[in-house]
Amino acid sequence: MRALTLTWEFPPRITGGLGMACYGMVKALLRLGVEVDLVIPADEEVYFALRREQDADSLPLVFADPTQQKRLGKKVTAKEMVSERIEFFDVYYTPAKKWLVEELVEYAPMDSSLEPLLSYLTDDHPLFRAVRAYTALAINIAKRLDFDIIHTHDWMTYIPGILIKGISGKPLVAHIHATEFDRAGGPGDRRIHDVEYIGMQSADRVLSVSDYTAKIILQRYKVAPEKIRIVHNAFTLQKAEKTKERMFREPLVVFLGRITLQKGPDYFLEVARRVLQEERNVRFVMGGRGDMEKKILYEAASLGQGTKFLFAGFLAREEVEQVLSAADIFVMPSVSEPFGITPLEAMSYGAVTIISKRSGVAEVVKHAYKVDYWDIEEMSSIILDLIRNPEKLREASRRSMEEVARLQWEEAAKKISNIYTELQEGR
Amino acid sequence: MLHLIFYFQVHQPYRLQPYRFIHIGKNHNYFDDELNRKIFEKVSDKCYIPANNLLWDLINQFAGRFKVSLSLTGTFVEQARQYRPDVLASFRRLAQQGGVEFLGETYYHSLACLFDENEFLEQVRMHSRLMEEEFGTRPVTFRNTELVYGDRISGLVSELPQFKLILTEGADKILNWRSPLYAYKSYSQRHLLLLKYYRLSDDIAFRFSDRAWTEYPLTAGKFVDWILKLPLVEKKKKNLYLNLFMDYETLGEHQWSETGIFEFIKHLPEYVLKRDFVSFSWPSEVMDSLNYEPEALSIPTPISWADTERDLSAWLSNSLQWNAVKTCYNILRRIKESERPDLLEVARKLSTSDISYYMCTKYFQDGDVHKYFSPYSSPEDIYIYYMNVLADVEKRLEDGI
C-alpha cells in the first residue's frame, strides 16, 4: 500500500499544528508498513519517498525556511535522504497558469462543479500563487509515480489532489485539520470555502480530526455522512524523558498559538487581568504572532502589571519546547479548534491544561479542565485554585503526563490504513 | 547686548539587544555591544572628532570670544572610554582650552525626576562627580534630560545648591506673549531660566539641509541677518540671550558634513563678532551680565523640547511606555532596598529615556523623528525586549543571582 501524501507542512517545514500532526500520523503509518510518497511545497521538483519509520525524520533542513533558500542554484543537500530525485527545475518559472487550466479540462472532464477551481488557479493573491506553484509541482511528480491512494491535508492541497485523482483515477482522501470557519471565526474567504467544498465533494473519504469538526463538515459543507470518518489526532513523544525547567519562582501560565480571533487570545488576557487582581504569585506569557498581536500587547501593557504579563513572540520548534517545559498551566481558549495538538505537547511537559470545549482535543483527553472559551470567570478560578494549592497542581501535572504518554498515533494510523484498504478494494 | 548661547547635547544610550522571553534566566547580556560600538564609532568619525576640532579652532581663532556649552551624559562618557578614548581625550582638550562650559544633568539621561526624586538627585550628583573627574569642572548650570522642566523640578534641583541656572524649552504655552530672549526666574526665584529659541535652533538642527524649505540653503550671513532683525534687539539697555540649543550630533551626523553644516558653524563667529552689540556667552555668565530683575515663570505641568507638543508625550503617552517606565523605577527601588550594586548599575542604564522614546507611537511628522533615532523595527518590539530584560533583572534580584 502506497499513499501519495500532499501536505503544506511537515517537519522541518512547520508553522503550526498541521505539520506535527502529519508527522506523527506518517510515522505511525510507516510502522504499519504503509509507504508514503510525500510532497511538500518546495522550489525544486522533489518529493520524499518514505519507506521506513526513520525516513520521516530525514527531510533536509533546507526546507525549514523556504523563503530563505535561493530559488535556483542551491540543490537539495543530503542526497541519500532523497532517494528518488527527478530532474531539477524551478517551479516558479513553469508556465503553470496556462498549462494547469488545460490539464484541468483534459483530465477532470468538465463537471460544472469544478469550474471555480479554474479561476482560483489564475488568482493573483500570493496564497493562490503559492497554491498554483505547489499544484504544478505535485502534478509533475504524481505523473511519474505509482501509488494507491491520494491523501491530502487541508485546502491548499485539494486542487492538486482533485487533479491527480483525474489523472490517475486513484481514490482521494481529504483530511480536515481546520476549516475556513475555524480560521476566520466568521464567514471567511469565499474562495477558500469553495476550494474546501469542492475538495470534500470530490474526495472519496473525508477524514475529520474530531467530532466537533465532523459536525461542521456535515452541516456547513454538506458532505455525505457515509463518506466521513473521524480520526482523532494523537501526540508524538519526541523524547521519552522530559525535564521541567522552571523560569520563574511563580507559577507560569502559558498561551501558545497564533494571536488571532480563532485562538481566543483576548480571553486569555482577560483571565490574566482577573487572576492578577487577586494573586501576585503568578506570571503569564503569550507566545506566537498574529493579527491581534498589537491590540493584545497594548491592552496587556495597560494592565500596569509590570513584568507579570510577557510576550514571547514567534517561537521556533525548540523554543516552543523550552517555554512548555517552563509552563505550569497551559490555556487554550480557542473559539474554534478542530483539533489542537499543543495542549497534548504541554501535557507531555507536565503542564496542567485548560482547554476550550470547542476543540477536538477536548474529545480525547480526560485530565484537562474543559471550559467554554468565553468563561473567563471559570478559567480564572481554576488558575487561582491551582496556584494556591501547589499540591493539587503537582498532582494534576503528574496525571497530565501519564495520560498523554498513553495517547499514541497507533490507533489513528490503524484507522487510516483500514480506510486506505477499504478504498483500494473499492468499497 | 545680545548674547548667543550655544548649548549642544552630547549623548549616546545603551541600546538593547533583541532580548527574547526565552533568554530570561539564561542570558544576562542586555545591551547590544556590537551595535553600540558601531554607532559610537560612526558618530565619532562623523561628528565628535570633526566637531570638537572645529570648536577648538574657533575658540583659538577668536581668542576666547567664541564660547559654547556642552552637556555630556554619563552613558556617553562611559561608551567613549570603552570604544573611543580619543573622543574623550578630545573633549578633555576642549575643557583644558577653557572655551567650553560643561553643564550638569542626570548621569543616565533619565526621567527620574518624574518617578523617583532621590534617584534623580543621585543621578545628578553622579554626573557632577563625573564632570569633575573627567573635565575638572563643577557644573553650575543644569539641563534636565530632553530639557524636561517644571516647577517641581526646580524645587528638586534646589537641593543641589551648586546649580544657579536651568535651561529649558521656550515653549509657546509657557511664554504666551513673552519673548524667549529674556532671562527668567523659576517660580521659587532660586534659579535663572534660559529658554531655548526653538525657531532659530530648529532652523539649524532640523531644517538646515531641507531642500524643500524656502530658506534653503542657510548660510552664516543669512542667519546673522535674521538675528539682527529679531524684535527687541534695538533696545540695547537690557541684555538679551538668544539660546540656541540642539543635539551635538546635528554637526555631521543628523546634518551630514556634505550639507555644509561645518562651514556654517565655522563662519558664524566672524559674522557675529563683527557686530559690537552681539557676542557669544556661556549660560553661567548670565548671572553677571543680567542687568534687570527677571520675571518669575510658573510651570506647573512639565515641558520638554521634544516633538510639536513640547511635553512628555514622546516618552509617556501610550500604555507600553507607562508600563515599561513605571516597572523600571519600581525595580530600581527594590534593588536599592536590597543592596545589589551590580544590578543597580544595570537598572540605571535601563532608565535611559531613549528606550521609552523608541516605544512612542505618535505618528504624524514626529513619528519620522522617532523612527530616525530608533534602531528597532517597531515600538512593540522594543517594548517586548525591554520587559523581558526587566523580568530577568527582577529574577536575578529575587533569586540573589
Side-chain angles (χ1 to χ4, degrees):
Chain A
M1 174 72 65
R2 185 177 295 170
L4 175 69
T5 297
L6 309 185
T7 176
W8 207 258
E9 289 186 14
F10 199 89
R13 182 195 159 92
I14 201 160
T15 54
L18 175 64
M20 286 314 281
C22 285
Y23 173 75
M25 193 185 303
V26 164
K27 260 179 111 99
L29 282 169
L30 291 167
R31 279 199 295 275
L32 292 180
V34 176
E35 299 179 345
V36 174
D37 284 342
L38 182 76
V39 183
I40 61 173
D43 290 345
E44 298 172 22
E45 199 167 299
V46 60
Y47 76 100
F48 301 93
L50 311 178
R51 300 292 176 261
R52 295 158 308 157
E53 189 189 348
Q54 57 268 38
D55 293 346
D57 298 309
S58 68
L59 267 64
L61 269 176
V62 335
F63 290 98
D65 187 1
T67 55
Q68 299 203 348
Q69 300 301 327
K70 286 205 174 131
R71 285 199 274 138
L72 278 173
K74 195 162 191 176
K75 296 189 182 179
V76 178
T77 51
K79 268 186 201 149
E80 71 282 6
M81 296 174 183
V82 189
S83 33
E84 293 171 62
R85 276 188 63 214
I86 304 171
E87 95 249 37
F88 157 89
F89 77 99
D90 185 353
V91 293
Y92 287 84
Y93 291 110
T94 55
K97 196 155 126 181
K98 190 165 164 285
W99 181 83
L100 278 172
V101 174
E102 284 163 3
E103 193 84 7
L104 185 65
V105 176
E106 188 182 337
Y107 290 103
M110 276 321 288
D111 178 339
S112 63
S113 66
L114 295 181
E115 248 166 53
L117 297 187
L118 288 174
S119 61
Y120 300 143
L121 278 176
T122 55
D123 198 302
D124 243 4
H125 186 279
L127 205 51
F128 281 92
R129 280 214 300 267
V131 167
R132 184 160 75 222
Y134 179 69
T135 302
L137 169 77
I139 288 178
N140 279 341
I141 289 168
K143 283 205 283 191
R144 298 162 209 205
L145 294 179
D146 190 24
F147 49 86
D148 307 302
I149 294 282
I150 310 152
H151 194 151
T152 57
H153 294 273
D154 278 3
W155 76 272
M156 293 167 93
T157 63
Y158 292 168
I159 297 181
I162 294 166
L163 296 180
I164 293 166
K165 181 182 172 179
I167 296 165
S168 65
K170 302 292 183 192
L172 174 66
V173 174
H175 205 128
I176 316 298
H177 298 262
T179 68
E180 181 65 0
F181 291 107
D182 306 304
R183 284 183 293 264
D189 191 305
R190 192 181 55 82
R191 296 168 294 186
I192 297 175
H193 278 303
D194 276 354
V195 174
E196 288 180 332
Y197 176 79
I198 297 169
M200 292 184 212
Q201 294 300 332
S202 310
D204 300 284
R205 288 290 183 276
V206 177
L207 308 193
S208 163
V209 291
S210 60
D211 298 346
Y212 169 74
T213 301
K215 266 183 212 133
I216 295 177
I217 295 169
L218 205 58
Q219 289 165 5
R220 307 276 191 117
Y221 295 91
K222 310 287 179 210
V223 174
E226 61 273 16
K227 284 207 314 194
I228 303 176
R229 299 284 184 277
I230 292 161
V231 182
H232 282 120
N233 282 348
F235 175 70
T236 317
L237 281 176
Q238 298 277 33
K239 294 168 247 160
E241 274 306 300
K242 300 213 167 169
T243 46
K244 199 90 197 137
E245 219 178 291
R246 306 197 56 83
M247 286 177 71
F248 303 101
R249 298 182 148 198
E250 305 94 333
L252 181 64
V253 185
V254 174
F255 172 103
L256 267 191
R258 278 176 293 115
I259 305 180
T260 58
L261 194 80
Q262 184 199 341
K263 303 288 181 183
D266 40 346
Y267 297 102
F268 182 72
L269 178 66
E270 274 311 310
V271 168
R273 184 200 304 275
R274 295 214 175 192
V275 171
L276 285 166
Q277 273 164 8
E278 293 191 35
E279 180 63 59
R280 303 299 302 158
N281 181 40
V282 61
R283 237 175 240 275
F284 292 83
V285 63
M286 180 176 280
R289 308 214 71 158
D291 56 11
M292 282 172 74
E293 194 180 327
K294 263 198 187 182
K295 177 179 170 321
I296 301 286
L297 186 71
Y298 283 86
E299 280 179 19
S302 74
L303 298 179
Q305 294 282 7
T307 59
K308 290 289 188 188
F309 196 111
L310 295 167
F311 288 84
F314 177 79
L315 296 166
R317 197 59 227 155
E318 64 280 8
E319 296 169 346
V320 166
E321 286 165 19
Q322 187 191 329
V323 173
L324 289 179
S325 85
D328 295 283
I329 301 172
F330 182 91
V331 187
M332 186 184 74
S334 298
V335 175
S336 181
E337 191 71 67
F339 191 80
I341 212 157
T342 343
L344 297 182
E345 200 176 353
M347 286 168 76
S348 79
Y349 282 98
V352 179
T353 51
I354 302 173
I355 55 182
S356 164
K357 284 177 184 165
R358 287 173 70 170
S359 71
V361 68
E363 296 167 18
V364 298
V365 292
K366 220 166 72 207
H367 294 292
Y369 292 90
K370 297 166 196 173
V371 296
D372 291 308
Y373 67 89
W374 44 261
D375 201 342
I376 291 155
E377 203 129 342
E378 172 75 3
M379 287 187 262
S380 316
S381 58
I382 293 169
I383 292 172
L384 283 169
D385 181 44
L386 286 171
I387 55 188
R388 286 171 179 170
N389 298 291
E391 199 45 56
K392 191 169 179 179
L393 182 66
R394 252 197 304 283
E395 177 58 20
S397 158
R398 195 182 56 75
R399 284 173 189 273
S400 293
M401 277 175 110
E402 274 176 15
E403 184 178 8
V404 81
R406 285 197 303 267
L407 273 180
Q408 294 296 317
W409 278 104
E410 263 53 49
E411 204 186 330
K414 271 180 209 151
K415 275 191 195 169
I416 294 170
S417 157
N418 288 340
I419 292 164
Y420 287 172
T421 316
E422 219 173 274
L423 287 169
Q424 201 183 18
E425 293 170 359
R427 278 186 278 153
Chain B
M1 253 330 234
L2 175 69
H3 299 268
L4 259 62
I5 300 182
F6 264 113
Y7 136 62
F8 293 105
Q9 178 62 32
V10 189
H11 170 57
Q12 288 298 331
Y14 283 101
R15 293 160 197 87
L16 290 184
Q17 280 207 56
Y19 189 91
R20 303 179 54 209
F21 177 78
I22 52 162
H23 296 144
I24 297 173
K26 297 202 147 104
N27 174 355
H28 307 313
N29 298 322
Y30 309 134
F31 303 105
D32 192 336
D33 298 337
E34 190 48 36
L35 178 71
N36 288 325
R37 190 190 55 74
K38 234 171 77 185
I39 293 180
F40 203 95
E41 292 270 4
K42 188 186 82 175
V43 183
S44 294
D45 294 333
K46 288 174 80 170
C47 164
Y48 302 138
I49 294 289
N52 282 3
N53 289 341
L54 177 61
L55 294 188
W56 200 85
D57 288 345
L58 289 173
I59 290 162
N60 254 4
Q61 184 187 340
F62 294 96
R65 290 168 68 213
F66 177 68
K67 298 168 180 175
V68 295
S69 59
L70 296 175
S71 193
L72 280 64
T73 61
T75 58
F76 169 84
V77 172
E78 284 182 5
Q79 292 188 71
R81 276 182 199 149
Q82 192 178 351
Y83 302 128
R84 289 292 294 261
D86 60 318
V87 167
L88 198 56
S90 128
F91 279 106
R92 279 205 203 98
R93 188 167 79 126
L94 279 175
Q96 282 152 10
Q97 185 190 24
V100 173
E101 176 180 350
F102 288 86
L103 311 185
E105 65 169 304
T106 58
Y107 188 101
Y108 291 96
H109 199 256
S110 74
L111 293 174
C113 61
L114 304 171
F115 293 91
D116 186 334
E117 301 187 348
N118 288 328
E119 175 62 18
F120 169 78
L121 294 172
E122 255 173 85
Q123 289 195 11
V124 177
R125 284 192 200 102
M126 278 176 80
H127 183 263
S128 289
R129 277 199 297 275
L130 180 75
M131 290 301 109
E132 285 202 67
E133 278 165 30
E134 291 291 342
F135 308 111
T137 156
R138 191 176 164 76
V140 298
T141 306
F142 181 75
R143 58 72 67 190
N144 199 13
T145 304
E146 309 287 356
L147 295 190
V148 169
Y149 175 79
D151 293 345
R152 251 192 67 235
I153 291 156
S154 156
L156 269 177
V157 178
S158 305
E159 299 195 21
L160 305 166
Q162 71 191 78
F163 292 114
K164 314 291 184 210
L165 304 96
I166 299 179
L167 310 188
T168 186
E169 173 71 22
D172 295 334
K173 59 186 164 199
I174 60 158
L175 282 169
N176 297 317
W177 70 92
R178 302 174 186 92
S179 165
L181 293 173
Y182 291 111
Y184 293 89
K185 270 186 164 175
S186 61
Y187 80 113
S188 61
Q189 320 253 337
R190 311 254 316 241
H191 299 112
L192 281 176
L193 298 181
L194 298 180
L195 307 182
K196 176 182 150 193
Y197 201 105
Y198 70 80
R199 203 170 43 76
L200 288 170
S201 300
D202 294 351
D203 283 343
I204 303 173
F206 298 132
R207 287 180 282 273
F208 186 79
S209 63
D210 180 2
R211 287 169 185 271
W213 183 34
T214 48
E215 299 297 344
Y216 181 88
L218 181 61
T219 60
K222 191 195 276 186
F223 192 77
V224 173
D225 278 345
W226 290 349
I227 292 174
L228 299 177
K229 285 186 197 130
L230 284 174
L232 304 177
V233 160
E234 55 275 25
K235 296 188 187 169
K236 286 180 195 168
K237 289 156 284 174
K238 283 187 175 179
N239 277 326
L240 298 175
Y241 306 97
L242 174 60
N243 302 307
L244 298 172
F245 300 167
M246 64 199 75
D247 285 347
Y248 198 34
E249 294 80 11
T250 301
L251 311 183
E253 215 288 322
H254 307 341
Q255 308 291 348
W256 292 4
S257 160
E258 292 78 7
T259 64
I261 190 76
F262 287 113
E263 290 301 302
F264 173 84
I265 297 290
K266 184 177 169 189
H267 292 291
L268 200 62
E270 65 195 60
Y271 282 98
V272 168
L273 293 172
K274 71 181 169 205
R275 311 280 169 165
D276 47 10
F277 59 95
V278 196
S279 73
F280 291 97
S281 171
W282 293 311
S284 57
E285 290 179 298
V286 175
M287 289 186 287
D288 302 321
S289 61
L290 190 66
N291 57 356
Y292 52 93
E293 183 54 37
E295 186 185 346
L297 286 182
S298 174
I299 305 172
T301 313
I303 56 164
S304 81
W305 73 357
D307 299 349
T308 42
E309 290 92 344
R310 302 289 199 270
D311 60 10
L312 302 175
S313 58
W315 307 275
L316 292 166
S317 51
N318 64 39
S319 61
L320 308 185
Q321 295 171 312
W322 278 105
N323 193 43
V325 176
K326 280 164 81 172
T327 306
C328 174
Y329 284 99
N330 180 23
I331 291 174
L332 244 171
R333 235 187 309 266
R334 288 170 56 199
I335 290 173
K336 284 193 199 165
E337 285 160 11
S338 62
E339 295 188 6
R340 283 288 301 273
D342 57 327
L343 290 184
L344 184 59
E345 191 194 333
V346 169
R348 281 179 164 160
K349 284 178 179 172
L350 294 170
S351 75
T352 297
S353 65
D354 302 59
I355 296 172
S356 63
Y357 187 86
Y358 302 145
M359 293 176 200
C360 184
T361 45
K362 294 187 300 169
Y363 286 115
F364 329 113
Q365 68 205 84
D366 294 331
D368 298 337
V369 180
H370 286 256
K371 235 187 210 155
Y372 171 82
F373 284 106
S374 176
Y376 304 97
S377 55
S378 77
E380 293 82 23
D381 283 351
I382 174 67
Y383 172 77
I384 291 174
Y385 305 149
Y386 187 65
M387 296 312 289
N388 289 335
V389 165
L390 291 180
D392 189 65
V393 174
E394 218 174 11
K395 186 175 151 64
R396 286 165 72 189
L397 177 66
E398 284 164 10
D399 297 351
I401 302 167

